[in-house]
């Protein structure tokens, strides 16, 4: 598994997949720079006349609902619909799920277009699964492990791979899950790190569209290891962003392998296995 995850990271660098982002304007620059540093090619396009064409030429679509308005919602709908028709991998980032009825309504519609991967924090995943939950803006009020049951329910009902991000990242499908324990608390002090994780997931899914579970695990491994390295070099949140981009760009196979902390959870009745 370790070698497979690194091969996906390497494939992103080698193939430079085009990742179409309809994301919130708070993080556009951060997201684009992270994709470039990882080796992918970002595009941010939400104009109605071109959005379907952009999905058609992209390797993957990432939809992030952080800053909603009616125009962008229609862009998201058009893009998700096109990705579904073309069987292109697309990632849904349900930012602030459960915070307002409008946000929930938009998410309910987007789910009809069958996202390949849904990535959010524990509170967002629980709200999306209509589990009793409280959200504090876009921040999580729950730990990742608390959302596993909700993630399993969502994965079974939507067919999507679920990724719960937090201090521990958990990637869930109906028959397996992986837990990744890399990263650093300082990452939570930089806006849009979760949005970056969704974008990197898009890049990894673009190079491995037939195995979104493993692609998502690779993206979260890359995110966590790079964040860990950046935090060791940073003086605070400002320099963390700089070192994070450098780490994405410069990360070696040796660094990746030596730091990766991955645990595989097997179906009920079998023991979990520490992979790394």
């Amino acid at each position: 598994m370790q070698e497979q995850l690194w091969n996906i990271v390497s494939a992103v660098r080698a193939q430079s997949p085009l990742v179409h982002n309809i994301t919130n304007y708070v993080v556009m620059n951060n997201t684009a720079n992270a994709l470039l540093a990882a080796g992918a090619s970002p595009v941010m396009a939400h104009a109605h006349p071109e959005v379907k064409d952009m999905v058609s030429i992209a390797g993957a679509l990432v939809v992030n609902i952080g800053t909603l308005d009616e125009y962008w919602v229609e862009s998201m709908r058009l893009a998700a619909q096109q990705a579904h028709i073309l069987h292109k991998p697309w990632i849904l980032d349900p930012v602030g799920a459960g915070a307002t009825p409008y946000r929930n309504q938009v998410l309910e519609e987007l789910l009809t277009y069958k996202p390949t991967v849904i990535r959010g924090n524990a509170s967002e995943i629980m709200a999306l699964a209509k589990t009793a939950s409280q959200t504090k803006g876009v921040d999580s009020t729950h730990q990742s492990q608390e959302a596993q049951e909700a993630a399993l329910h969502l994965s079974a009902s939507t067919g999507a791979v679920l990724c719960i991000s937090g201090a521990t990242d958990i990637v869930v499908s109906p028959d397996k899950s992986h837990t990744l324990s890399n990263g650093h608390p300082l990452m939570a002090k930089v806006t849009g790190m979760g949005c970056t994780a969704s974008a990197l997931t898009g890049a990894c899914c673009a190079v491995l569209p037939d195995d979104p579970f493993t692609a998502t695990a690779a993206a979260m491994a890359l995110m966590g290891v790079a964040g860990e390295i950046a935090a060791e070099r940073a003086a605070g949140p400002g320099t963390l962003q700089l070192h994070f981009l450098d780490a994405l760009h410069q990360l070696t196979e040796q660094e990746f392998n030596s730091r990766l902390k991955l645990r595989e959870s097997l179906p009920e009745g079998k023991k979990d296995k520490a992979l790394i």
Side-chain angles (χ1 to χ4, degrees), residues 216-227:
T216 301
M220 299 312 295
L222 173 61
M223 182 86 190
V225 170

Side-chain angles (χ1 to χ4, degrees), residues 40-246:
S41 179
V43 62
M44 277 64 181
H46 60 270
H48 295 172
E50 72 166 356
V51 70
K52 287 187 176 183
D53 292 331
M54 196 64 76
V55 171
S56 299
I57 64 172
L61 167 71
V62 178
V63 174
N64 176 309
I65 71 161
T67 50
L68 290 178
D69 71 20
E70 290 84 350
Y71 189 94
W72 283 40
V73 167
E74 179 63 11
S75 304
M76 294 171 186
R77 187 190 68 78
L78 291 169
Q81 181 184 52
Q82 184 74 346
H84 180 57
I85 290 171
L86 298 177
H87 304 289
K88 290 281 182 84
W90 78 276
I91 289 75
L92 174 62
D93 190 333
V95 178
T100 67
Y102 179 58
R103 200 162 287 259
N104 293 342
Q105 176 189 332
V106 170
L107 286 169
E108 186 174 353
E109 182 176 5
L110 289 174
L111 286 175
T112 66
Y113 300 113
K114 301 295 182 182
T116 311
V117 179
I118 301 170
R119 193 224 58 85
N121 64 42
S123 292
E124 290 163 348
I125 298 303
M126 293 170 74
L128 198 59
K130 297 182 171 60
T131 302
S133 177
Q134 292 182 332
T135 58
K136 186 183 73 175
V138 299
D139 298 324
S140 182
T141 58
H142 296 276
Q143 300 301 311
S144 300
Q145 292 83 350
E146 297 177 71
Q148 280 187 276
E149 185 176 347
L152 279 168
H153 170 75
L154 263 178
S155 185
S157 63
T158 65
V161 171
L162 265 291
C163 179
I164 315 161
S165 62
T168 300
D169 301 316
I170 306 173
V171 183
V172 174
S173 72
D175 61 345
K176 59 184 174 180
S177 68
H178 285 168
T179 300
L180 298 107
S181 303
N182 292 102
H184 192 277
L186 191 59
M187 296 170 73
K189 300 297 183 183
V190 177
T191 189
M193 277 294 187
C195 306
T196 295
S198 294
L200 292 176
T201 301
C204 291
C205 285
V207 299
L208 194 67
D210 295 332
D211 189 357
F213 180 90
T214 306
T216 301
M220 299 312 295
L222 173 61
M223 182 86 190
V225 170
E228 217 170 75
I229 293 170
E232 291 171 2
R233 300 171 180 171
T239 50
L240 178 76
Q241 297 178 77
L242 302 177
H243 290 300
F244 177 70
L245 294 177
D246 288 347

